[in-house]
Amino acid sequence: MKRRQIIAASAAAAIVTPLAGFAVAASAKPQIGDVLTHAFGDRAGSAIVPMDVFDELLFAFPMGPDGVIRSTSLHNQVSVLRVDEAAMTDKTRRYAAGPYVAVSAACTHTGCEVSGWRPDTGELECPCHGSRFNVLDAARVVNGPATRPLAYLPIEFGDNVFRVVGKFSRRVGPAPVY
Ligand code: FES
């Protein structure tokens, strides 16, 4: 390779490497220490605080310490919900930060975005085929066709942000088809 070609190749590598790193970080699974941020809307990318979470479902993506938001996959999207803490089962409480939980938005049936929320019953509902999941009780299936619960992302609250403190509680989304 001639000197000019080497310089050009080096320059290209210098550009591609950071971009490639960014793409990897953006598609990586949530990591311990990530902060939950608004997924959509005017405040997309800003940290979620408790006063943002009322009776409505709020979609979030985790943001790494480098500021990269892991937003390239539905499998990283969670619903942040405020529920009746006293009504939670122990299984749910283990993933919660007080009354707040972060539940995978990827349906375990065929992978639609679970976007329906019934605060009166504590159930998430998938619009595609009507599966419902009881968030108060480990996101168990209340109504199919889904057969597996949704995954929780364990969180804690501190310094006015919600942080990820562990891996998803189970496989996210539908089971793979072999
Ligand atoms: S994809 Fe959610 S119920 Fe079918």
Side-chain angles (χ1 to χ4, degrees):
M1 190 182 288
K2 292 181 180 174
R3 184 168 177 274
R4 193 180 304 161
Q5 290 173 309
I6 292 171
I7 292 171
S10 301
I15 294 168
V16 166
T17 303
L19 291 178
F22 181 90
V24 169
S27 62
K29 293 178 181 176
Q31 308 288 312
I32 292 174
D34 283 0
V35 169
L36 295 186
T37 63
H38 289 265
F40 307 110
D42 294 345
R43 296 177 61 199
S46 63
I48 292 173
V49 296
M51 64 184 299
D52 297 333
V53 190
F54 293 101
D55 281 348
E56 295 183 1
L57 175 160
L58 185 63
F59 283 134
F61 285 120
M63 178 175 68
D66 51 4
V68 174
I69 298 175
R70 309 189 197 286
S71 59
T72 59
S73 170
L74 178 62
H75 284 199
N76 285 348
Q77 184 177 320
V78 293
S79 302
V80 180
L81 306 162
R82 189 178 68 175
V83 298
D84 180 358
E85 194 175 353
M88 288 180 188
T89 63
D90 288 344
K91 275 186 177 175
T92 296
R93 193 170 291 117
R94 117 177 24 144
Y95 304 111
Y100 302 97
V101 291
V103 186
S104 168
C107 186
T108 56
H109 179 222
T110 61
C112 285
E113 179 185 80
V114 178
S115 58
W117 171 233
R118 300 180 178 188
D120 51 331
T121 59
E123 291 174 7
L124 283 165
E125 182 168 15
C126 179
C128 286
H129 312 100
S131 290
R132 300 202 316 271
F133 307 86
N134 184 343
V135 171
L136 296 168
D137 184 13
R140 68 179 169 80
V141 176
V142 176
N143 185 64
T147 58
R148 295 185 307 112
L150 298 172
Y152 288 82
L153 189 61
I155 55 171
E156 67 177 10
F157 180 73
D159 298 328
N160 215 30
V161 295
F162 291 101
R163 286 189 195 283
V164 176
V165 292
K167 295 189 294 190
F168 273 114
S169 61
R170 56 185 302 125
R171 176 189 286 278
V172 170
V177 178
Y178 297 104

